[in-house]
Amino acid sequence: MVFCPDCGAENADSAKFCKNCGHSLNANRPIKDNYVNTGIDPSARVNDNSNSSNSNINSNSKSDNKNLIIICLTIVICALLIAGAMVMLSNNNANDSDSDALSDSASLNSGSVENVSSSETSAQATQENSPQIYRGSFSTGSSASDKTHCTVYVGSEHAGEKIKISVLYLNNGDALNQGKVVTKTVSGDGYVKVASASAFDYYPDEAHISLYDSNGDILDTKTVYLYESSGKQTF
């Protein structure tokens, strides 16, 4: 018998090619003699080579798996580092935006405060330069059937100016007149004089004075409590 050196299959002594794999057998005749003399089966050597190849394959497979695991871990670590860097960059941008927003808000608030302050200052200056009720007097004739006269000092600096004024009289909480708004000219000494449109059935015990600007907005008001009697009463 002749064993194929390639696959280890048994072949007839006269065979030139292996019946199993077709490998040439002419150059392997000594294999038979060696088997006869030593008892070493060539197929065993072939199998040993096969086992060695399998061992190498398994070893290479394990090495490849180890390398693959290392590559995967490297990729994961790089991804985590990149994600962390992006998060930090995003937080920094957000902080910068918040800082800018706060700065802009502070600027706007500052501007608003300045505008309000300026407006209040302007309104205060206008109010100070406008006619005001400083003092005055009321006088009624000897009977309630006489008209009641009101004299109000608004400031001599407004002499010659036209102002709007109303005087509402009451007695025990009931209105004695309509308190209509009338236009008067400030006298040279800074006084405005207003007489009631008609006489009353009772002496007034209360009077409400109001000054208005040209737009009808109230500049100043004052409530004066009176004695129910004739004569002059100052406030």
Side-chain angles (χ1 to χ4, degrees), residues 132-149:
Q132 297 182 45
I133 302 172
Y134 293 102
R135 58 182 180 273
S137 63
F138 291 93
S139 60
T140 306
S142 57
S143 65
S145 60
D146 293 328
K147 292 182 178 181
T148 301
H149 297 267

Side-chain angles (χ1 to χ4, degrees), residues 138-174:
F138 291 93
S139 60
T140 306
S142 57
S143 65
S145 60
D146 293 328
K147 292 182 178 181
T148 301
H149 297 267
C150 175
T151 302
V152 180
Y153 179 74
V154 297
S156 57
E157 67 273 16
H158 300 290
E161 295 181 10
K162 292 185 179 298
I163 65 170
K164 294 181 179 180
I165 185 172
S166 69
V167 183
L168 175 65
Y169 295 98
L170 299 94
N171 180 274
N172 292 326
D174 297 326

Side-chain angles (χ1 to χ4, degrees), residues 72-116:
C72 291
L73 289 176
T74 303
I75 293 174
V76 171
I77 292 173
C78 290
L80 291 175
L81 291 175
I82 293 173
M86 292 181 66
V87 169
M88 292 179 64
L89 181 61
S90 176
N91 289 337
N92 290 336
N93 291 336
N95 292 333
D96 292 340
S97 298
D98 291 341
S99 178
D100 292 341
L102 289 175
S103 178
D104 291 342
S105 177
S107 297
L108 290 175
N109 291 336
S110 176
S112 298
V113 171
E114 290 178 357
N115 290 336
V116 170

